[in-house]
Amino acid sequence: MTAINLTHAETRRQLRRARLGEFTKFARRFAGNPLGMIGLAILGVLLASAVFAPLLATHDPYLPDLVHRLSPPSFENWLGTDELGRDIFTRILYGARLTLLIVGLVVATSAPIGLIIGAVAGTSGGWVDAVFMRITDVFLAVPKLLLALAFVAALGPGIVNAALAITLTAWPPYARLARAEALIVRDSDYVNAVRLAGGSEFRIVLRHIMPMCLSSVIVRMTLDMAGIILTAAGLGFIGLGAQPPLPEWGAMISTGRKFIFDQWWVATMPGLAIFIVSLGFNLLGDAMRDLLDPHLRRRA
């Protein structure tokens, strides 16, 4: 018994060393991708802005200062002020928190939903696959922003409802992707061996099919984050996302569009923040695809 325990412990140590080696190799390859590093740096700045917003902020993000309303960028207000005299730089910092909150809520819900539906459909086949995929086709047939508008109009404006509405439109691509991966894996030798050993379909899907779909889902997830930000900004722009006085970037652009010709900074600065963050997520997603996509790795 002691010898068996020692063997299991040694096996676990070898697995940990192998995983650490794989992670080190992945990190080294990622560091060799300059565009991916730029995307990672932008994401790091976004995270730091959200976490340390109270320390980095130069003004109160909600306190009006009508004396300095619509002031241009200066040493006192680095990015200028809005129509109520609030510092735009400070509001962009606090808006990073809302952006990360929406992205986190959508990714944490839509990716698992799509992964489960796609893995179950691809593994089961038959009528289960047909029903799940026809439901997926219905959601894919309608443009994302239009469908999100319909859901958030029914649920009511608000940041949580906006995130829920985006989630309801974001899961179908993950389901399609997971189903395609499951169709490839479900008849492989190791899955058939698990079936012959008496493994249930639930265990096969959970322990053997879904992990094989994860790399493709992660790649898709990083590429979708920019689209999530743009959809959330679009909802905020038309007043169905985060409500005033929350410093959501889309809502800031909406209020600043009235001053775009004379006080250009009011709408331009949050728009520039959306552009930079979306670019960062796209660069990061491209790098993750190059490193994690098995088809690209095989081709390389």
Side-chain angles (χ1 to χ4, degrees):
M1 185 65 69
T2 303
I4 294 176
N5 290 335
L6 289 175
T7 303
H8 285 186
E10 180 62 27
T11 302
R12 286 195 295 269
R13 282 195 294 269
Q14 290 178 357
L15 284 174
R16 283 196 294 268
R17 283 197 295 267
R19 289 169 181 166
L20 181 60
E22 285 292 322
F23 178 78
T24 303
K25 189 187 302 183
F26 172 81
R28 192 180 301 116
R29 291 169 57 209
F30 188 90
N33 189 317
L35 293 179
M37 292 301 294
I38 293 174
L40 185 62
I42 293 174
L43 179 58
V45 171
L46 178 67
L47 289 170
S49 300
V51 173
F52 300 109
L55 300 177
L56 298 173
T58 57
H59 297 75
D60 189 307
Y62 303 107
L63 184 64
D65 183 8
L66 297 180
V67 177
H68 297 96
R69 65 186 300 269
L70 300 176
S71 298
S74 62
F75 287 108
E76 183 179 356
N77 303 104
W78 296 346
L79 301 182
T81 61
D82 62 9
E83 75 282 1
L84 295 178
R86 298 171 297 191
D87 183 67
I88 294 177
F89 172 74
T90 298
R91 288 179 63 78
I92 287 177
L93 287 178
Y94 278 87
R97 292 183 166 186
L98 298 178
T99 298
L100 284 176
L101 175 62
I102 293 175
V103 171
L105 287 174
V106 173
V107 168
T109 51
S110 62
I113 291 172
L115 177 60
I116 292 171
I117 291 176
V120 171
T123 306
S124 301
W127 67 268
V128 175
D129 183 25
V131 170
F132 280 164
M133 287 303 102
R134 295 301 76 76
I135 295 174
T136 304
D137 289 340
V138 170
F139 279 87
L140 287 173
V142 184
K144 281 187 178 181
L145 184 57
L146 184 61
L147 196 57
L149 284 173
F151 279 123
V152 80
L155 297 172
I159 188 169
V160 176
N161 288 344
L164 180 59
I166 298 173
T167 296
L168 293 174
T169 65
W171 66 266
Y174 298 108
R176 277 288 183 186
L177 187 61
R179 175 183 179 269
E181 295 288 340
L183 288 174
I184 298 173
V185 176
R186 69 178 183 180
D187 293 324
S188 58
D189 292 338
Y190 79 93
V191 173
N192 289 328
V194 174
R195 288 196 180 98
L196 290 174
S200 64
E201 289 297 314
F202 175 78
R203 180 182 177 84
I204 290 172
V205 171
L206 186 65
R207 298 292 299 275
H208 303 284
I209 301 294
M210 290 175 60
M212 297 300 294
C213 305
L214 276 180
S215 61
S216 299
V217 169
I218 290 173
V219 171
R220 176 78 195 209
M221 195 165 54
T222 52
L223 289 170
D224 279 353
M225 287 179 179
I228 293 171
I229 292 174
L230 292 175
T231 304
L235 293 175
F237 182 83
I238 60 177
L240 294 177
Q243 298 299 296
L246 291 176
E248 198 274 325
W249 294 345
M252 291 172 66
I253 296 175
S254 179
T255 57
R257 62 181 172 170
K258 296 176 288 188
F259 314 101
I260 190 66
F261 294 109
D262 297 320
Q263 291 82 25
W264 53 268
W265 56 88
V266 181
T268 301
M269 297 307 180
L272 192 60
I274 294 174
F275 168 75
I276 293 174
V277 171
S278 299
L279 177 63
F281 276 120
N282 277 326
L283 293 176
L284 182 64
D286 286 338
M288 296 289 284
R289 180 188 59 194
D290 294 340
L291 296 175
L292 292 178
D293 193 315
H295 306 293
L296 293 178
R297 282 186 297 177
R298 196 177 302 128
R299 196 177 304 160

